[in-house]
Amino acid sequence: MSAPIYRDPVEDGAADPTVIRREGTNEWWMFYTNRRANAGGPGFSWIHGSPIGVAVSRDDGASWTYRGTVKGLDDPADVGQLNTHWAPEVMFADGQYHMFLSYISGVPDGWAVPRTIVQFTSPDLENWTRVGPLALSSDNVIDACVFASPDGLWRLWYKDEGQGSSTWSATSTDMLNWTLEGKVLPGSPEAPPHEGPNVFALGGWYWLIVDEWRGQAAYRSDDTRNWVRQGLIGDVPGSDDMDRRYMRHADVVVVGGHAALYYFTHPLWDEASDKAGPPDAAARRTAVHHARLTVVDGVLVLERDIAADMALLAG
């Protein structure tokens, strides 16, 4: 129970998963940050230089097969060098797929570098056309999430690392032109810093979850604009030996009356002791898991101990 459902067979650093059905098929595609867990180099260079990996399921999430990495996502000015791609958000709207990608030029070994969110479009999930970077609240933004709000606007939530690791939002009428809206959830020092916002509708409510690096903080709303904190989910370890660590950067796919939640862990990183980060290649390696979400009496309920071969994406 709660054993990993997927590990990247090349870099062994699958993180930040997002899952989408390929239109007109029975295929579910998982896009993820392909961290270079086994890479050498100074400082935090191992967490940079990452491509976007892809795995595919043809049995509603019961099993996943590695498909390779996404090509053509570099800034044209950076072609010919290794660059950093993080936390893809992939969705289908208005007849095409959209990807919102956290992008860093090159392979830095520290954190003090510009980070942008770049949008792409695709007809088929395979071939991507660059739309361009979004003008947001700073030049230090990552972790996009996009959702169709009940006010008729597309709304994009993201992490602003330059402003206390807080969550901000922008809006659009056409999914291509975005207007900054403002701060949604404060970060440090007013509130816990966080990352990886994800918004979805389930059980008659809208939900926003964010990764506080101690579990996922859950917020509830009736309009996707005003959020009330519920508490933490995923802060209690799973029963499998590979799922004893905090639930990190999650994505949610709603299927009827439940939702499948995809998250990753560092199975061999003792987060309580090694607070500066994973100390070696073994601790850097990651695993993707799934869990089930339901809503009971207006409360978001997580079932973490789900069999790895369960078809959670079956309708």
Side-chain angles (χ1 to χ4, degrees):
M1 302 295 281
S2 80
I5 63 167
Y6 180 75
R7 297 186 72 159
D8 180 82
V10 179
E11 301 287 356
D12 208 7
D16 313 329
T18 187
V19 173
I20 182 172
R21 181 189 287 277
R22 191 179 194 186
E23 295 292 309
T25 75
N26 67 341
E27 296 177 352
W28 290 90
W29 286 41
M30 179 193 299
F31 293 78
Y32 58 91
T33 306
N34 200 2
R35 292 180 179 179
R36 300 180 306 136
N38 299 314
F44 290 98
S45 58
W46 66 274
I47 207 170
H48 296 92
S50 48
I52 297 302
V54 182
V56 174
S57 174
R58 295 181 176 87
D59 53 12
D60 292 322
S63 62
W64 295 87
T65 302
Y66 177 69
R67 194 181 188 279
T69 59
V70 183
K71 311 302 182 186
L73 301 180
D74 288 337
D75 187 311
D78 294 335
V79 172
Q81 69 180 28
L82 188 61
N83 298 294
T84 302
H85 309 85
W86 282 352
E89 165 77 334
V90 182
M91 61 181 304
F92 185 80
D94 298 330
Q96 63 184 340
Y97 299 96
H98 297 258
M99 179 189 293
F100 297 83
L101 180 70
S102 306
Y103 182 80
I104 301 170
S105 176
V107 187
D109 59 11
W111 305 115
V113 293
R115 306 172 188 198
T116 57
I117 292 174
V118 184
Q119 184 175 0
F120 300 81
T121 59
S122 171
D124 55 12
L125 291 179
E126 296 184 71
N127 302 285
W128 293 93
T129 299
R130 181 185 175 91
V131 177
L134 278 58
L136 298 171
S137 51
S138 79
D139 64 354
N140 202 349
V141 295
I142 62 172
D143 296 354
C145 164
V146 177
F147 186 81
S149 289
D151 59 7
L153 295 173
W154 292 101
R155 190 163 269 106
L156 179 148
W157 292 264
Y158 63 93
K159 175 190 180 184
D160 191 325
E161 295 198 308
Q163 302 195 57
S165 292
S166 51
T167 292
W168 291 63
S169 65
T171 61
S172 176
T173 59
D174 60 6
M175 277 286 284
L176 294 172
N177 298 283
W178 295 90
T179 301
L180 180 66
E181 188 170 41
K183 186 184 293 186
V184 178
L185 300 177
S188 178
E190 300 96 331
H194 53 270
E195 64 185 11
N198 193 272
V199 173
F200 56 98
L202 184 65
W205 296 93
Y206 300 104
W207 302 93
L208 166 62
I209 58 172
V210 294
D211 182 1
E212 291 188 352
W213 311 298
R214 55 176 180 162
Q216 303 287 313
Y219 294 81
R220 193 180 75 175
S221 174
D222 59 7
D223 61 5
T224 75
R225 299 191 65 187
N226 302 287
W227 298 96
V228 176
R229 185 181 176 100
Q230 173 184 294
L232 289 174
I233 60 173
D235 52 324
V236 177
S239 61
D240 189 86
D241 286 344
M242 298 293 286
D243 194 28
R244 305 296 296 169
R245 307 302 184 189
Y246 296 128
M247 178 182 287
R248 293 178 174 270
H249 195 127
D251 181 51
V252 176
V253 179
V254 176
V255 186
H258 77 276
L261 183 146
Y262 294 89
Y263 63 99
F264 79 98
T265 63
H266 284 273
L268 301 181
W269 175 23
D270 185 349
E271 298 152 314
S273 300
D274 301 315
K275 294 184 179 180
D280 53 35
R284 295 169 186 165
R285 296 169 190 152
T286 55
V288 176
H289 307 254
H290 64 191
R292 188 206 306 268
L293 290 173
T294 53
V295 175
V296 179
D297 296 331
V299 175
L300 190 64
V301 177
L302 171 75
E303 297 173 71
R304 186 165 183 169
D305 289 333
I306 297 295
D309 61 355
M310 182 174 289
L312 277 183
L313 295 171

